[in-house]
Amino acid sequence: AEEAVVTDWTVFPNPATETLNVRFQANGGQTVRYSLFNTIGQRLFLRTHEATGGENTLNVPVKHLAAGIYMLVVEKDGKKLSERISVTR
């Protein structure tokens, strides 16, 4: 099996108000888990996405969250990518 790799990922807008978008390239056929944590490590959101070959975009709803700093974690094949994000009101 070919190693599936997440590359070239972008998180926007940051700061976010309603929806955070995560755009990344994948070579397809992989399950990506993405979570959002607050500053004390509580998971607020968890979803999975079946990636397709090429560009993928995940949409993370943040309109229900209080303004503040959060950590977005994307997991794929045991590798974790994390990005600090800010939610504004």
Side-chain angles (χ1 to χ4, degrees):
E2 188 178 327
E3 171 69 10
V5 179
V6 171
T7 56
D8 303 329
W9 75 313
T10 329
V11 177
F12 64 96
N14 192 3
T17 53
E18 292 195 5
T19 304
L20 186 67
N21 302 293
V22 182
R23 185 176 292 152
F24 63 93
Q25 299 290 327
N27 35 353
Q30 70 204 87
T31 300
V32 176
R33 281 169 36 120
Y34 53 111
S35 310
L36 198 61
F37 293 89
N38 62 17
T39 51
I40 58 171
Q42 292 171 309
R43 178 183 277 145
L44 307 173
F45 174 91
L46 169 65
R47 280 212 186 138
T48 57
H49 171 78
E50 294 302 319
T52 55
E55 189 172 276
N56 289 257
T57 302
L58 309 176
N59 300 305
V60 182
V62 297
K63 65 183 171 195
H64 61 291
L65 298 176
I69 301 295
Y70 297 86
M71 186 64 69
L72 175 73
V73 178
V74 180
E75 297 173 72
K76 199 274 312 157
D77 292 344
K79 298 188 183 91
K80 286 187 183 183
L81 302 165
S82 26
E83 182 85 21
R84 212 172 115 109
I85 62 144
S86 175
V87 172
T88 56
R89 290 283 152 255

